[in-house]
Amino acid sequence: MERSGLPFVTGIVHEHITMDSFEDEEQGQGGSDEWLDVDDDPSKPFLRPVRIYGSRLARDKDVIAFEERAEEREWDIDDHKIEVLELQSRYDTDLHWGLSEKQVLKNRKHYGENFLQPPPKPSAFLKFFRAVIGGLNALLWGSAFLSFLSYGAQYIYTDRISNDNLVLGCALIVVVHISGAFSFYQEFKSSRIMESFKTMVPRSCVVFREGSRAEIDVKELVVGDLVEINYGDLVPADIRILECQNFTVDNSALTGEAEPQKRLSVCTDDNPMETKNLAFFSTNAVQGTAKGVVIRVGNKTLMGRLAKLACGLDSGPSPIAVEMNKFIMIMTIRSLVFGGVFFGLALAIGFSLIDSIFFLIGIVVANVPEGLAVTFTTILSVTAKRMAKNHCLVKHLHAVEALGSTSCICSDKTGTLTQNVMSVAHLFFNSAVALADTSEFVTGQQFDMQDPGFAALANVAALCSRANFRPGQEDIPVLKRTVEGDASETAILKFMELQMGNVSRYRVNFPKLCEIPFNSTNKYQVSIHDMSKTSDPRHLLVIKGAPERVINLCTTILNGNEELLIDARQKEIFNSTYVGLAKLGERVLGFADCRLPLDRFPLGYKFSSEDPDYLDIGFRFVGLISMIDPPRASVPDAVSKCRSAGIRLVMVTGDHPVTAKAIARAVNILSEGNETIEERAERLGCTVEEINPTTIKAAVVSGAELKLLSASQLRNLLRNHTEIVFARTSPEQKYIIVDAFQKLGYIVAATGDGVNDSPALKKADVGVSMGIAGTEVSKETADIILMDDNFSSIVTGIEEGRLIFDNLKKLIAYNMADNIAEMYSVWLFMVLRIPLPMGTIAMLLTVLGTDVLPAISIAYEKAEADIMKLRPRNPKKQTLVTPQLLSYTYGQTAVLECTAGFFAYFLTYAQSGWLPGDLIGIEKKWHSRSVNDLVDSYGQEWSYEARSQLGLTSQTAFFVAIVLTQFANVICCKTRRVSLFQKGMRNKKMNAALIFALALVGALVYVPNLNASVNLTVLRPEVWLAPLPFAFFLIIYDEIRKFIVRNFPKTVVGNHLDT
Amino acid sequence: MAGKKSDKYSPNGGGGFGTFLYNSDTGQVLGRTCGSWLKITVFYIIFYACLAAFFYLCYQIFATTLERPEENGSPKWTQDASLIGANPGVGFRPMPDQDKNSESTLIWYRTKDPADSAFWSDQLTDFLNKLKVKEGADNVVECSVGGNSATQKRVCKVPTEGLGDCTVDNSFGYPDGKPCVLIKLNKIYDWEPEPFGIDDDTNKYDKKLLEDELEEKVQEQPKGMPVSLKNYILNEVAKKPGNEIEVLRSVWLSCAGENVGDEENLPESSITYLPFRGIPGYYFPYKNQPNYKSPFVMVQLNVPETSHHTLINVECRAWAKNVKYDRIDRLGSVHFEILVD
């Protein structure tokens, strides 16, 4: 099968979106910064249904359906609008005393309990039932039923009682149960891992009941309860806020809004999702405290409703399930067709009905790879285990392969591509920009503290801060410590801690006298410190804030030891630096200091923060510090791996386009030299309209722009741009993006952690949630959970997934070969009328006994080439079971194995006196109990008893030959293209499996009673040698085949031989 | 797995099965052009030719270890080394129609219906006809106790006379309700019967030992040697003084109703063995000699009138020191039923 050529992009561009709509948002805005635009950024209507303008008719059915559901999401409540007293009576509560115990019980009964009812799952029994009767097992049930039928018929119509059919039927039923139980157990085990997640978060909350404060389990909470929330808590239910201090919540899990939201006690919006006096269940309180009354609990909370909606989306089969279903269909049709044809043929030739049914069963049993279900599940779970070691927890086994087929990843930015911590990236001092190390593992000093320019900046940065380490973390690496304070301050504090060793000790020397906290009008923060412990007792004023504000308060700028007046040139340097850093998507802060003249501000001067009289004296500008949530160190590498693996990477983030673009550039999602249309326009100094849009391969699209696109325009956008960043998108838009990619034929993996991401996760072929940052709901919906939230874990997963596809192909080639060889033996038995070459029990023994371990060991085969250099498979063309694979197994390996089997079979007969020619056509007399003197080639006469012993021996020889050639086959299956000599026999598990299988055959053949019970008997040692020439023939042939495939892949035969 | 739409996986876009069979645009038949079908056919012809040649080669190499049956060769493994064992089975003729029921061993006919009788007697006629010595078969000799016996090259003529009522002319007694059943011993390469009454050490005949050994057989449970056979053997031995060992090398035969009821329906006195109650030792060993014919004993069952319309189970056993008996596995014996209407 060809792996070259991009299969998905379907040719010529028919339509190109007008680029006019792509307003250059980022140019206007500088950096995204809570310091700069906390309030001028009105909360975006993330939870409103997405409107894509354009013909609704032209849009896709399920997108429309999804939007209709989104409308259901409009939350019709008025609890936030009504008077507090009304609320009190509505929920029979007392807003001072809290609920009485009696009322708690009443309200619990009336409004329900406070936990999220997990979505209804099929019961364990139903799952087990499904595992036992589903898929290949259905065929086995059919054969078992036929076995019993023919046993019954035999019992009724003939006096000859042979238990073979009964045993076979029972064996088949045991097999379906074992394989069913096995796959059930595997699924059960991975779902158990999920259960453990839920119990990992025991939570409690503070509640006021009957006037006293109590800490209770969140589950105990009922509507009407009065609760207190402190920063760091998760909001325990949907709360109407009654009073709060500086209360801020992080709604990102719920709405995707990246910035923490201020909460107030007054209703600010009719829309419950916009108003500021509601806090939602399971969101994070990041600052301040609040007191509120519970208005919704459990499933009725916003979170609960969203979770339910997400779970309501229908799930289709995974790519590998599609492949398996296809395979099962092929096998079913084939076995029924073959079985039917030969049943009819047998009747036509003149076999009795019972014998014909016996052939039918033989053919069906020989055709159904009974062991495949078990080995298949095992291979998936072995790989899943290996992936778990790489922090990639697989919830649904099938997702393992789906990940391998992935051709497009829609990735989050925050936390997945980035570290999810602000970190100092650049510093500007001494009129120059210096780069700071943003990697996760940095330790120790990076800059010279003796440098006067840096020292001044560091001094301001250390002192002008309200952030502190939580106590008792001295043993923890600086970067891992918890900090009280916002993200920017945290970044600076950690950076300074690394530079200075101990910031708090440093601060002790300079007690803070006065402080102006940051506010959105000033956009700066000032503190004044007592310097009496130093030689220069003048007060020190330090200020940090929005750079343009800070510089306006300065008159001089520090450059090394000298202070320069801020002139036009200095301003120019400052501006270009500031804009440059902002363009990198970094959050920039300006720093300045000043020694207050003692004459105006003598020691002991009472500084006022309300009415500052010290801001006009002209400060000394010491520098800029810019921060970014830096990409994880391993991500750029992972991205380039994805790229060489032909996987499209799309960033879908709620962040600002500038930041998104900067990170995309940093991790190479927007690759170097690949400009967006705006960048090229800027570089060439022309307008966007003048650029030929077909030459542009990169794009940054904001959520607002996305809204304006019709579904077909969106698809064109995705088709025409290889590198796209979606910024400022809502989680709903993520769903739409995923859907659009799927419509283009991509197999999409989507990452997400918020509740609102759940629909997208569910829609995607592989939903990936985050183990650390992910919400329960997103983990519930996801197929795979990244335990370390790290994007590069996905790449490892993809590698495993791709390997497993190859290995499953090998597995099928291996498992089918002896099945088919056995089927051929039944054919030849019927056509040549020779004594039975192989009994059905022996067939089951190969498929369920000797094959199993070698088959599983295929899972441990390493990739034969750099599979991450190949394009993702085309789900339409590169299927698991290709015509080539069928031709290879049916036409080549199976024929070879069957030939080997017959060689051993004829050899056994010939040694005892029956030359092959004399066996043909003898079947009826041979198997007749009344013929007690059948003449062999040497004139000897054989009694029935002696014949059946001989028959058993040659059946055993056939069985052994099949098993031994299967050994050769599994060795061939180690590689699909590469020469065996290159690969070697380094798979220890396979070698062990082969030795074990050999011991197993030995036991089956030679252990007394055991052999009799499975219709086998002892063999002369030399019979074991009979199949060996054919085993070598197989290996040599397969080497030749692989040689042709490697060297002449384009020829008809070369292509045909490539399974 | 989550929300995937199956339409992604719809079969390879349009066309359908008709187009698959023959695509007029590309000239593809069953998804391939004729040229590529040809190439693949050529590949498979080469592949199978190689495989067939390899199989043939392997078989020829293996065949060098075998002796050829047409050159009077011996099977690779014989007697106990082979699965045929050293315990010959017993066969009978005539046999029921194998095409009608391959499992049946019932000889059932109506005396009044000549066609019925003919079905059975014709089989015996055929059998006897095959015993005729072919012209130019110069290794066939007349054998007798004390006279010739079979050797590596030489075989004994199987006489077709001296069969009493069991002759072609008499239709083997079928129309008279006294059917003859031919009993023969399976040929086993190199097998020879081990005589009773021979002292292992001296290799000499010992009358006392013979009597003891026969008595032991008579006493065997559940069913021993009929006393009549013991007496017959002793009698035969006495007849040929000096050739006792030759006589004793025979494989003796006894037929009887299988169960008590069968014995009542078919008393011992109504069974006649022709020409001799056993197969004389000079026919052994069988060594795949050309023109070797199976010796036999005709057993005439004079089914009493009273036992007509009754199914009688008959068991015939072969007796020699090295013939083991197992009723279930039918070792050293044969079972058939007879029903005369």
Side-chain angles (χ1 to χ4, degrees):
Chain A
M1 178 117 302
E2 266 191 39
R3 279 193 180 252
S4 57
L6 199 128
F8 305 113
V9 177
T10 49
I12 313 136
V13 181
H14 297 293
E15 179 185 357
H16 198 278
I17 31 161
T18 46
M19 295 308 262
D20 316 18
S21 56
F22 284 55
E23 275 285 330
D24 197 0
E25 194 176 310
E26 59 262 42
Q27 279 183 355
Q29 288 226 4
S32 136
D33 192 329
E34 72 190 34
W35 291 77
L36 299 173
D37 54 17
V38 144
D39 279 339
D40 53 33
D41 182 20
S43 20
K44 295 151 288 289
F46 277 115
L47 280 166
R48 282 189 198 131
V50 177
R51 292 263 166 249
I52 300 180
Y53 300 101
S55 160
R56 209 178 156 105
L57 285 175
R59 296 219 326 275
D60 302 291
K61 224 173 47 215
D62 43 341
V63 171
I64 295 172
F66 179 74
E67 277 175 28
E68 276 161 6
R69 305 202 69 132
E71 269 147 32
E72 287 172 23
R73 216 167 313 180
E74 287 291 5
W75 208 24
D76 194 22
I77 64 167
D78 59 357
D79 284 345
H80 58 296
K81 288 186 281 193
I82 58 174
E83 285 303 313
V84 170
L85 286 177
E86 200 185 334
L87 194 69
Q88 178 169 312
S89 59
R90 179 178 286 182
Y91 296 123
D92 294 316
T93 181
D94 185 304
L95 296 182
H96 297 286
W97 289 91
L99 289 172
S100 66
E101 285 304 325
K102 228 163 108 194
Q103 196 59 42
V104 166
L105 297 178
K106 238 188 209 169
N107 279 5
R108 180 170 299 146
K109 210 166 163 196
H110 193 251
Y111 299 105
E113 292 186 67
N114 188 31
F115 63 89
L116 285 183
Q117 190 94 41
K121 281 184 192 150
S123 71
F125 174 76
L126 198 71
K127 273 187 186 164
F128 179 72
F129 184 69
R130 230 181 259 162
V132 168
I133 63 160
L136 283 171
N137 285 345
L139 267 182
L140 296 186
W141 276 109
S143 341
F145 175 72
L146 276 176
S147 302
F148 289 132
L149 200 74
S150 76
Y151 175 75
Q154 227 173 33
Y155 192 82
I156 293 165
Y157 296 112
T158 68
D159 48 352
R160 179 189 59 176
I161 310 289
S162 142
N163 284 338
D164 282 11
N165 278 336
L166 188 66
V167 170
L168 182 66
C170 295
L172 288 175
I173 286 184
V174 170
V175 166
V176 288
H177 279 93
I178 290 174
S179 79
F182 187 75
S183 51
F184 169 75
Y185 172 69
Q186 290 297 350
E187 290 287 338
F188 177 73
K189 223 169 52 179
S190 44
S191 67
R192 273 275 297 283
I193 301 170
M194 281 313 295
E195 299 296 325
S196 62
F197 267 117
K198 278 182 200 160
T199 54
M200 262 165 61
V201 268
R203 286 187 293 153
S204 58
C205 63
V206 175
V207 66
F208 292 91
R209 282 182 183 168
E210 293 179 336
S212 58
R213 195 172 182 271
E215 198 162 314
I216 59 163
D217 194 328
V218 169
K219 272 189 202 154
E220 305 280 305
L221 213 59
V222 298
V223 169
D225 256 330
L226 216 54
V227 291
E228 187 186 284
I229 305 159
N230 290 302
Y231 69 87
D233 290 347
L234 288 181
V235 178
D238 284 359
I239 310 282
R240 157 100 186 245
I241 292 161
L242 300 174
E243 51 190 85
C244 64
Q245 284 92 42
N246 201 21
F247 188 54
T248 313
V249 290
D250 176 7
N251 275 353
S252 60
L254 203 55
T255 62
E257 286 161 300
E259 305 295 335
Q261 306 283 305
K262 266 249 154 38
R263 292 287 106 165
L264 305 166
S265 55
V266 290
C267 173
T268 57
D269 200 314
D270 275 358
N271 185 338
M273 272 157 293
E274 302 293 336
T275 183
K276 290 198 183 295
N277 64 342
L278 291 184
F280 300 114
F281 181 40
S282 93
T283 55
N284 212 342
V286 289
Q287 236 180 322
T289 58
K291 226 168 162 187
V293 62
V294 174
I295 55 166
R296 291 288 186 277
V297 291
N299 284 345
K300 297 204 183 67
T301 58
L302 182 62
M303 170 81 135
R305 291 163 58 86
L306 289 175
K308 224 160 85 193
L309 280 173
C311 295
L313 287 169
D314 68 323
S315 307
S318 65
I320 196 67
V322 170
E323 291 296 335
M324 277 310 279
N325 289 340
K326 225 189 255 169
F327 179 64
I328 290 166
M329 272 305 281
I330 290 173
M331 295 326 287
T332 313
I333 291 170
R334 257 158 223 265
S335 58
L336 291 184
V337 165
F338 288 143
V341 164
F342 276 77
F343 180 69
L345 198 67
L347 284 179
I349 295 175
F351 283 99
S352 69
L353 184 68
I354 294 200
D355 282 338
S356 307
I357 291 179
F358 188 73
F359 299 148
L360 178 64
I361 296 167
I363 298 246
V364 170
V365 168
N367 240 306
V368 179
E370 290 86 356
L372 195 64
V374 170
T375 41
F376 183 80
T377 320
T378 314
I379 287 192
L380 286 181
S381 61
V382 160
T383 310
K385 232 179 248 166
R386 211 155 48 198
M387 282 164 79
K389 252 186 229 158
N390 291 321
H391 309 290
C392 211
L393 181 75
V394 179
K395 265 180 65 196
H396 300 111
L397 284 182
H398 285 174
V400 174
E401 197 283 324
L403 203 51
S405 319
T406 298
S407 46
C408 173
I409 302 176
C410 295
S411 175
D412 257 356
K413 176 182 106 19
T414 314
T416 315
L417 298 172
T418 65
Q419 299 169 16
N420 202 18
V421 278
M422 274 293 171
S423 176
V424 172
H426 290 98
L427 300 101
F428 172 75
F429 57 90
N430 291 348
S431 302
V433 174
L435 192 69
D437 188 348
T438 54
S439 80
E440 294 107 291
F441 317 104
V442 62
T443 50
Q445 281 193 6
Q446 297 179 50
F447 296 94
D448 181 11
M449 289 299 285
Q450 302 306 316
D451 179 328
F454 181 75
L457 179 60
N459 181 45
V460 179
L463 294 179
C464 187
S465 169
R466 302 178 70 188
N468 275 306
F469 287 110
R470 287 222 175 134
Q473 300 188 87
E474 285 72 24
D475 302 335
I476 305 172
V478 172
L479 292 180
K480 296 239 158 43
R481 292 186 200 166
T482 324
V483 174
E484 285 167 16
D486 72 25
S488 304
E489 292 217 305
T490 303
I492 295 171
L493 177 63
K494 286 183 175 175
F495 180 76
M496 285 308 151
E497 184 80 4
L498 287 176
Q499 282 297 330
M500 299 177 152
N502 193 330
V503 173
S504 25
R505 202 178 298 146
Y506 180 77
R507 283 181 188 163
V508 171
N509 297 329
F510 315 104
K512 197 183 280 180
L513 298 174
C514 170
E515 182 177 53
I516 305 176
F518 175 84
N519 73 53
S520 48
T521 357
N522 296 338
K523 292 186 174 169
Y524 55 69
Q525 171 183 341
V526 178
S527 62
I528 297 168
H529 297 263
D530 177 4
M531 301 300 280
S532 50
K533 286 184 189 159
T534 62
S535 52
D536 181 356
R538 284 180 295 166
H539 289 106
L540 175 69
L541 178 147
V542 285
I543 175 169
K544 78 170 171 193
E548 70 275 15
R549 294 294 182 97
V550 172
I551 196 119
N552 285 341
L553 295 172
C554 296
T555 48
T556 58
I557 185 163
L558 185 70
N559 188 355
N561 273 326
E562 30 174 353
E563 281 177 39
L564 308 171
L565 273 178
I566 297 180
D567 52 15
R569 201 179 137 267
Q570 292 297 337
K571 200 100 185 194
E572 174 62 34
I573 295 173
F574 164 82
N575 266 331
S576 64
T577 312
Y578 174 34
V579 171
L581 291 176
K583 270 199 170 171
L584 292 174
E586 293 175 9
R587 184 178 290 177
V588 192
L589 291 179
F591 292 80
D593 63 2
C594 178
R595 279 305 180 87
L596 301 179
L598 275 175
D599 48 348
R600 233 178 106 184
F601 305 100
L603 296 182
Y605 182 83
K606 217 55 186 136
F607 291 101
S608 156
S609 57
E610 266 73 52
D611 185 20
D613 49 359
Y614 38 75
L615 293 174
D616 54 344
I617 49 174
F619 304 145
R620 174 177 73 154
F621 190 80
V622 293
L624 295 167
I625 293 183
S626 72
M627 283 144 297
I628 195 160
D629 178 7
R632 290 168 179 271
S634 55
V635 168
D637 197 37
V639 169
S640 63
K641 256 189 174 169
C642 277
R643 186 151 290 144
S644 64
I647 299 167
R648 283 191 68 168
L649 257 175
V650 176
M651 185 198 276
V652 183
T653 175
D655 264 344
H656 197 279
V658 177
T659 326
K661 196 166 101 182
I663 293 294
R665 286 259 179 242
V667 300
N668 220 13
I669 284 181
L670 293 179
S671 53
E672 236 179 288
N674 207 344
E675 303 164 303
T676 64
I677 196 159
E678 298 83 10
E679 283 170 332
R680 174 157 320 171
E682 192 186 306
R683 182 167 60 85
L684 300 177
C686 58
T687 59
V688 166
E689 287 77 17
E690 291 170 68
I691 308 285
N692 178 3
T694 54
T695 60
I696 298 295
K697 290 293 164 216
V700 177
V701 183
S702 75
E705 291 160 344
L706 186 59
K707 272 187 198 173
L708 302 174
L709 298 180
S710 75
S712 68
Q713 280 174 323
L714 173 61
R715 260 177 264 159
N716 275 321
L717 170 78
L718 302 185
R719 255 204 289 266
N720 298 332
H721 295 80
T722 51
E723 294 168 3
I724 309 178
V725 170
F726 290 97
R728 274 269 193 264
T729 52
S730 68
E732 276 84 358
Q733 288 178 321
K734 197 186 232 173
Y735 176 94
I736 288 160
I737 292 164
V738 167
D739 180 69
F741 271 115
Q742 288 184 334
K743 291 271 155 55
L744 289 175
Y746 285 87
I747 292 189
V748 184
T751 72
D753 44 22
V755 176
N756 253 13
D757 290 330
S758 300
L761 295 190
K762 198 137 204 206
K763 175 75 186 159
D765 297 274
V766 192
V768 183
S769 178
M770 301 299 142
I772 301 167
T775 53
E776 286 309 313
V777 178
S778 71
K779 284 181 196 166
E780 191 72 44
T781 358
D783 304 304
I784 284 175
I785 300 169
L786 300 182
M787 297 309 288
D788 58 353
D789 289 16
N790 190 343
F791 178 79
S792 30
S793 302
I794 302 184
V795 180
T796 332
I798 288 174
E799 207 164 345
E800 290 287 355
R802 287 187 167 195
L803 178 58
I804 211 171
F805 187 78
D806 269 9
N807 284 346
L808 287 179
K809 233 176 199 288
K810 293 170 187 170
L811 170 73
I812 285 181
Y814 170 68
N815 244 339
M816 268 178 38
D818 59 343
N819 263 320
I820 301 164
E822 285 154 15
M823 185 185 69
Y824 287 160
S825 80
V826 180
W827 288 14
L828 286 172
F829 164 66
M830 287 173 61
V831 173
L832 297 179
R833 299 285 194 106
I834 47 178
L836 189 69
M838 195 169 190
T840 27
I841 294 182
M843 292 178 190
L844 283 183
L845 283 180
T846 54
V847 179
L848 294 170
T850 55
D851 269 5
V852 172
L853 278 185
I856 290 171
S857 72
I858 291 177
Y860 295 94
E861 271 313 313
K862 297 255 177 340
E864 58 192 74
D866 194 351
I867 37 178
M868 292 306 275
K869 289 261 168 3
L870 302 172
R871 310 211 122 264
R873 76 182 177 95
N874 177 342
K876 280 182 188 156
K877 284 191 185 139
Q878 287 160 311
T879 51
L880 200 55
V881 185
T882 54
Q884 283 91 334
L885 182 73
L886 291 177
S887 163
Y888 175 66
T889 47
Y890 275 82
Q892 298 157 43
T893 47
V895 172
L896 222 148
E897 289 186 10
C898 190
T899 312
F902 272 107
F903 183 67
Y905 165 92
F906 282 127
L907 180 130
T908 321
Y909 274 114
Q911 285 195 332
S912 293
W914 298 85
L915 298 184
D918 292 315
L919 286 173
I920 291 167
I922 209 174
E923 182 268 328
K924 205 161 197 175
K925 282 184 181 160
W926 182 275
H927 290 288
S928 163
R929 211 169 265 268
S930 64
V931 178
N932 224 14
D933 51 0
L934 200 61
V935 184
D936 72 11
S937 309
Y938 292 85
Q940 302 188 97
E941 289 169 321
W942 290 71
S943 67
Y944 176 79
E945 190 54 34
R947 285 202 309 274
S948 36
Q949 270 307 310
L950 177 57
L952 218 52
T953 309
S954 55
Q955 284 176 29
T956 309
F958 198 101
F959 166 74
V960 165
I962 292 283
V963 172
L964 293 184
T965 42
Q966 272 293 82
F967 286 3
N969 192 11
V970 80
I971 290 169
C972 292
C973 284
K974 284 169 78 74
T975 65
R976 285 182 58 207
R977 290 187 189 79
V978 177
S979 163
L980 260 185
F981 299 102
Q982 204 176 325
K983 186 94 187 255
M985 294 289 288
R986 278 187 287 275
N987 182 349
K988 285 197 189 110
K989 295 242 169 40
M990 181 177 284
N991 300 346
L994 287 178
I995 290 167
F996 179 84
L998 192 65
L1000 181 63
V1001 200
L1004 286 172
V1005 172
Y1006 288 113
V1007 173
N1009 298 326
L1010 175 65
N1011 54 13
S1013 68
V1014 292
N1015 275 357
L1016 295 176
T1017 188
V1018 290
L1019 280 188
R1020 288 175 184 283
E1022 73 261 26
V1023 178
W1024 291 75
L1025 302 177
L1028 293 188
F1030 293 88
F1032 288 120
F1033 186 93
L1034 176 59
I1035 289 174
I1036 291 164
Y1037 162 70
D1038 213 57
E1039 277 299 303
I1040 296 171
R1041 180 184 72 87
K1042 285 166 190 163
F1043 178 83
I1044 295 173
V1045 168
R1046 282 196 308 273
N1047 292 290
F1048 310 100
K1050 297 272 182 263
T1051 61
V1052 173
V1053 171
N1055 178 286
H1056 187 72
L1057 292 180
D1058 186 359
T1059 56
Chain B
M1 275 297 299
K4 347 280 141 157
K5 294 286 159 261
S6 49
D7 56 336
K8 277 184 297 182
Y9 305 109
S10 63
N12 333 355
F17 193 65
T19 322
F20 174 69
L21 285 181
Y22 179 71
N23 186 340
S24 51
D25 297 338
T26 54
Q28 287 175 332
V29 183
L30 298 172
R32 289 186 169 279
T33 60
C34 289
S36 85
W37 272 116
L38 185 73
K39 282 177 190 162
I40 284 167
T41 312
V42 169
F43 163 76
Y44 268 109
I45 288 173
I46 295 173
F47 176 74
Y48 289 138
C50 288
L51 186 59
F54 188 71
F55 183 87
Y56 182 76
L57 181 74
C58 287
Y59 189 80
Q60 286 308 316
I61 292 171
F62 160 71
T64 58
T65 67
L66 299 178
E67 294 178 22
R68 297 167 74 88
E70 57 274 24
E71 291 162 5
N72 304 327
S74 146
K76 173 99 177 164
W77 308 109
T78 57
Q79 300 201 50
D80 278 329
S82 164
L83 288 160
I84 197 165
N87 202 29
V90 182
F92 75 96
R93 294 287 185 284
M95 292 191 57
D97 192 350
Q98 291 292 303
D99 291 336
K100 277 190 190 143
N101 188 348
S102 60
E103 297 288 308
S104 168
T105 50
L106 172 64
I107 302 172
W108 173 30
Y109 72 102
R110 283 172 287 261
T111 48
K112 306 242 167 54
D113 189 341
D116 242 16
S117 303
F119 172 79
W120 304 101
S121 56
D122 286 354
Q123 286 191 40
L124 291 177
T125 311
D126 284 350
F127 193 92
L128 291 189
N129 284 342
K130 280 184 194 152
L131 294 181
K132 281 184 188 145
V133 179
K134 265 191 239 158
E135 278 181 48
D138 48 7
N139 66 337
V140 183
V141 294
E142 297 280 351
C143 300
S144 61
V145 172
N148 288 327
S149 64
T151 62
Q152 183 73 38
K153 294 273 176 231
R154 200 169 63 187
V155 299
C156 291
K157 184 166 186 264
V158 180
T160 50
E161 54 274 4
L163 298 174
D165 286 345
C166 300
T167 60
V168 178
D169 300 337
N170 199 22
S171 295
F172 300 95
Y174 279 81
D176 308 330
K178 297 173 180 171
C180 295
V181 177
L182 182 149
I183 303 293
K184 62 186 203 39
L185 211 56
N186 283 356
K187 292 182 283 181
I188 292 180
Y189 195 92
D190 223 7
W191 185 82
E192 284 181 80
E194 196 181 313
F196 293 111
I198 306 295
D199 191 303
D200 283 342
D201 302 328
T202 61
N203 229 359
K204 291 259 169 59
Y205 164 66
D206 182 339
K207 187 158 192 265
K208 180 76 181 59
L209 185 67
L210 176 64
E211 276 169 0
D212 287 352
E213 283 184 351
L214 291 179
E215 188 54 32
E216 199 181 301
K217 285 282 171 193
V218 171
Q219 297 303 326
E220 230 173 44
Q221 288 303 324
K223 219 173 163 187
M225 180 186 273
V227 180
S228 63
L229 180 58
K230 179 191 166 191
N231 294 334
Y232 181 83
I233 295 170
L234 291 174
N235 194 22
E236 285 295 313
V237 172
K239 272 199 239 167
K240 302 257 168 66
N243 281 328
E244 290 92 348
I245 296 182
E246 283 295 303
V247 175
L248 285 172
R249 275 187 67 223
S250 304
V251 178
W252 309 99
L253 193 74
S254 72
C255 292
E258 199 161 7
N259 308 308
V260 181
D262 299 319
E263 272 181 70
E264 276 169 18
N265 289 328
L266 188 71
E268 205 184 347
S269 56
S270 59
I271 301 172
T272 327
Y273 305 87
L274 297 161
F276 181 69
R277 197 175 174 176
I279 291 161
Y282 46 72
Y283 290 106
F284 301 101
Y286 168 70
K287 280 195 173 258
N288 196 18
Q289 302 97 328
N291 305 312
Y292 187 95
K293 303 295 175 199
S294 269
F296 64 91
V297 178
M298 281 291 189
V299 178
Q300 189 169 27
L301 308 168
N302 297 313
V303 182
E305 287 284 342
T306 50
S307 298
H308 283 192
H309 317 297
T310 312
L311 187 129
I312 307 166
N313 292 296
V314 184
E315 189 188 39
C316 291
R317 280 182 62 174
W319 299 90
K321 221 173 162 182
N322 57 348
V323 172
K324 284 180 220 79
Y325 168 71
D326 186 312
R327 194 170 181 179
I328 311 292
D329 286 346
R330 294 195 190 165
L331 291 179
S333 71
V334 69
H335 161 100
F336 60 89
E337 303 101 43
I338 189 139
L339 176 53
V340 181
D341 275 345

